[in-house]
């Protein structure tokens, strides 16, 4: 049970506050400050966090503000009802439209216009009585009029909360639907909570053990699972049905939960299988207009590229992206990208390979040209001063390349088209910091 009470936190889109003879210059922000002050002082033992959003169209003219509260899990139901009523009826002194969002406790948001307000309130009362809270979170929306929010959490958290709801909920309690956005794996749920299939994680795990799951969708009617396109779809369907059992209809789909997109991706299934099996490939994403492959082996990039370009299913209109993930000591990894757009003429993969091999590079994006004889786009950032990095860049890049390059301070970034000799006027920058003359001289001195 959550009983600690940290300092108030104010989350606002606009928090600049000023006043004049005409009133507040930012009425929305002023209303947000009033909301925070009122509820944090009126209910100090219950309010853990004040959440506001505010916007102001024109100074001194008008504004709008939405507010909600996160309450301690041990807030009694009658006190929660009192606070919710206060949130609903409160009005700011500032000239701003107020959106009374709601209150959240035990991981569950309650607000008046919610179509499930009654069953959610009933569930929260049961959670309070047992000293429990949801493992996932059903948060309040930022603006009440924008949308009804969804439960968010990992699949394991949803299943834990489903077990809790099942233990607390009886037929006499009526219907409560869980509408959820799930991560790990990615998916969505819209199902009666107390009868949510217990075999859901088993089905996803069984399919995922044989082939990467892209996304899933569970409704009262069935479970649909989109996998990366593969020629083994029939086998995966059998695996899913065996794990689901007779009470959960399940359908495994190619690449997308949209039936039309799934049919189009079916044609790319042989390509997906072939590229997935290449040495060094860690992950693959097959989309209608692009195939993305990731590797941690720079030496594998050339083989991956050649295999993709030579495969008979790699058709016109399909782009290729290769992501090279380099492990570094003080970070999880650095990701460098090589792009081959649809219709590109030739390849300049050696430029990517040479730049990616430099230990002083910490950001890299290279793209082949879409036009015959056209230029290559290169964006590269270094961990060293720009003037010190330029000799390495010049040695690798041929003339006529559209280049954006930056040193350790990203504000010294410059853009130019490579040539053996540059004038100061050939360089462009969004910032005033770079000494364009010194950068041009450093480039020319590199030989």
């Amino acid at each position: 049970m959550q009983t600690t009470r940290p300092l108030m936190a104010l989350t606002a889109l606009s928090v600049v506050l000023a006043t004049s003879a005409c009133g507040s210059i930012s009425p929305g922000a002023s209303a947000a400050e009033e909301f925070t002050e009122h509820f944090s002082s009126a209910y100090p033992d219950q309010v853990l966090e004040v959440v506001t959003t505010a916007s102001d169209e024109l100074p001194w003219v008008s504004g709008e503000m939405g507010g909600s509260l996160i309450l301690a899990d041990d807030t009694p139901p009658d006190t929660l009802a009192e606070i919710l009523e206060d949130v609903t009826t409160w009005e700011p002194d500032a000239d701003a439209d107020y959106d009374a969002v709601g209150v959240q406790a035990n991981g569950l948001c309650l607000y008046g216009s919610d179509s499930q307000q009654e069953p959610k309130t009933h569930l929260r009362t049961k959670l309070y009585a047992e000293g429990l809270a949801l493992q996932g979170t059903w948060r309040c929306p930022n603006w009440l009029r924008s949308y009804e929010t969804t439960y968010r959490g990992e699949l394991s958290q949803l299943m834990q909360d489903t077990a809790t709801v099942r233990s607390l909920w009886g037929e006499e309690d009526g219907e409560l639907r869980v509408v959820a956005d799930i991560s790990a794996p990615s998916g969505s749920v819209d199902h009666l909570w107390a009868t949510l299939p217990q075999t859901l994680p088993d089905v996803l795990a069984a399919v995922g053990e044989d082939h990467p799951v892209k996304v899933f969708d569970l409704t009262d009617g069935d479970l649909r699972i989109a996998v990366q396109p593969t020629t083994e779809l029939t086998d995966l369907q059998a695996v899913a049905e065996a794990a689901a059992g007779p009470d959960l209809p399940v359908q495994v789909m190619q690449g997308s939960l949209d039936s039309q997109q799934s049919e189009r991706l079916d044609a790319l299934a042989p390509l997906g299988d072939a590229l997935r099996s290449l040495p060094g490939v860690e992950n693959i994403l097959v989309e209608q207009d692009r195939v993305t492959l990731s590797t941690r082996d720079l030496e594998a990039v050339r083989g991956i590229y050649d295999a993709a370009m030579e495969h008979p299913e790699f058709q016109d209109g399909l782009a290729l992206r290769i992501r090279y993930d380099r492990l570094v000591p003080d970070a999880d990894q650095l990701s460098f990208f090589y792009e081959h757009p649809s219709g590109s003429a030739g390849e300049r993969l050696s430029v990517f390979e040479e730049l990616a091999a430099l230990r002083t590079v910490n950001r890299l994006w290279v793209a082949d040209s879409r036009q015959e004889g056209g230029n290559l786009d290169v964006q590269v950032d270094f961990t060293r001063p720009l003037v010190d990095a330029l000799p390495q860049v010049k040695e690798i890049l041929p003339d006529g390349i559209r280049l954006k390059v930056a040193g350790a301070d990203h504000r010294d970034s410059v853009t130019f088209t490579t040539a053996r000799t540059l004038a100061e006027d050939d360089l462009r920058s969004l910032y005033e910091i770079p000494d364009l003359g010194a950068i041009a001289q450093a480039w020319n001195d590199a030989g």
Side-chain angles (χ1 to χ4, degrees), residues 69-86:
L69 305 173
I70 298 178
L71 306 181
D73 293 344
D74 60 358
T75 302
D78 56 347
T79 305
L80 184 146
E82 175 189 343
I83 297 174
L84 179 57
E85 177 67 17
D86 195 357

Side-chain angles (χ1 to χ4, degrees), residues 35-94:
F35 184 90
T36 301
E37 173 61 27
H38 171 74
F39 286 99
S40 59
S41 60
Y43 308 99
D45 295 332
Q46 288 79 38
V47 175
L48 299 180
E49 185 176 345
V50 179
V51 182
T52 64
T53 52
S55 66
D56 295 288
E57 295 183 5
L58 293 172
W60 292 292
V61 176
S62 65
E64 54 184 357
M65 169 259 168
S68 63
L69 305 173
I70 298 178
L71 306 181
D73 293 344
D74 60 358
T75 302
D78 56 347
T79 305
L80 184 146
E82 175 189 343
I83 297 174
L84 179 57
E85 177 67 17
D86 195 357
V87 169
T88 303
T89 59
W90 179 84
E91 294 182 0
D93 292 331

Side-chain angles (χ1 to χ4, degrees), residues 150-168:
T150 59
Y151 171 105
R152 294 180 182 272
E154 296 183 358
L155 180 61
S156 60
Q157 293 174 314
L158 173 64
M159 299 313 296
Q160 291 179 60
D161 289 336
T162 298
T164 298
V165 171
R166 188 177 286 115
S167 70
L168 299 175

Side-chain angles (χ1 to χ4, degrees), residues 63-378:
E64 54 184 357
M65 169 259 168
S68 63
L69 305 173
I70 298 178
L71 306 181
D73 293 344
D74 60 358
T75 302
D78 56 347
T79 305
L80 184 146
E82 175 189 343
I83 297 174
L84 179 57
E85 177 67 17
D86 195 357
V87 169
T88 303
T89 59
W90 179 84
E91 294 182 0
D93 292 331
D95 185 18
D97 293 331
Y98 167 58
D99 209 351
V101 178
V103 299
Q104 176 185 316
N106 306 79
L108 194 62
C109 177
L110 306 174
Y111 55 101
S113 64
D114 187 352
S115 60
Q116 295 201 101
Q117 169 73 348
E118 184 175 344
K120 281 185 181 178
T121 301
H122 193 42
L123 174 60
R124 191 272 159 179
T125 300
K126 288 176 175 287
L127 291 170
Y128 166 82
E130 298 297 327
L132 300 173
L134 297 181
Q135 300 300 304
T137 305
W138 206 326
R139 296 186 182 275
C140 295
N142 289 333
W143 299 100
L144 186 60
R145 63 183 179 277
S146 57
Y147 54 87
E148 291 190 0
T149 62
T150 59
Y151 171 105
R152 294 180 182 272
E154 296 183 358
L155 180 61
S156 60
Q157 293 174 314
L158 173 64
M159 299 313 296
Q160 291 179 60
D161 289 336
T162 298
T164 298
V165 171
R166 188 177 286 115
S167 70
L168 299 175
W169 210 258
E171 292 185 5
E172 69 280 3
D173 294 315
E175 292 188 352
L176 171 63
R177 303 192 67 82
V178 58
V179 182
D181 291 323
I182 302 301
S183 59
S186 175
S188 59
V189 173
D190 187 349
H191 199 283
L192 288 174
W193 206 342
T195 61
L196 192 145
Q198 294 178 285
T199 57
L200 172 62
D202 297 331
V203 179
L204 295 172
V207 173
E209 185 175 348
D210 290 343
H211 199 76
V213 171
K214 187 176 180 182
V215 66
F216 74 90
D217 177 60
L218 174 68
T219 65
D220 293 324
D222 64 0
L223 168 63
R224 295 179 302 145
I225 305 171
V227 298
Q228 290 298 332
T230 176
T231 56
E232 301 174 357
L233 196 67
T234 300
D235 294 338
L236 291 175
Q237 179 68 36
V239 169
E241 291 175 353
D247 298 328
L248 176 59
V250 60
Q251 179 184 10
V252 182
M253 306 176 70
Q254 293 277 33
S256 172
L257 296 176
D258 181 278
S259 58
Q260 292 184 343
Q261 291 185 23
S262 183
E263 290 178 8
R264 289 193 288 268
L265 287 169
D266 188 62
L268 298 176
L271 174 64
D273 285 344
L275 298 183
R276 189 176 295 106
S277 63
L278 291 175
V281 171
E282 297 284 338
N283 292 293
I284 178 173
L285 175 62
V286 180
E287 301 171 288
Q288 294 185 74
D289 58 352
R290 173 185 288 148
V291 177
T292 301
L293 301 108
S294 64
T295 181
R296 293 180 179 177
D297 182 3
L298 182 57
E299 294 183 357
V301 169
R302 172 66 63 175
I304 293 171
Y305 176 86
D306 290 342
M309 293 295 102
E310 294 169 3
H311 196 281
E313 299 296 333
F314 200 92
Q315 55 200 245
D316 290 339
L318 198 61
L320 175 68
R321 171 182 291 170
I322 300 176
R323 190 185 79 197
Y324 164 52
D325 296 327
R326 188 176 76 194
L327 301 179
V328 292
D330 297 327
D332 293 334
Q333 64 185 26
L334 295 175
S335 295
F336 301 154
F337 295 91
Y338 178 74
E339 300 271 359
H340 182 84
S342 170
S344 296
E347 54 85 11
R348 307 250 172 68
L349 189 59
S350 60
V351 170
F352 176 82
E353 292 173 311
E354 291 186 59
L355 288 173
L358 298 177
R359 309 312 291 182
T360 53
V361 169
N362 65 0
R363 183 173 179 269
L364 177 63
W365 181 83
V366 178
D368 289 341
S369 171
R370 289 182 173 84
Q371 299 177 352
E372 184 71 34
N375 297 330
L376 172 72
D377 289 321
V378 176

Side-chain angles (χ1 to χ4, degrees), residues 389-421:
L390 288 177
Q392 290 179 301
V393 178
K394 188 176 183 180
E395 182 180 352
I396 293 172
L397 296 183
D399 291 349
I401 302 300
R402 295 190 300 266
L403 170 67
K404 182 177 181 180
V405 59
D409 184 348
H410 72 278
R411 294 172 300 173
D412 65 3
S413 66
V414 294
T415 303
F416 58 92
T417 299
T418 58
R420 291 305 90 187
T421 303

Side-chain angles (χ1 to χ4, degrees), residues 22-35:
C22 299
S24 172
I25 190 174
S26 304
S30 296
E33 185 173 89
E34 288 182 50
F35 184 90

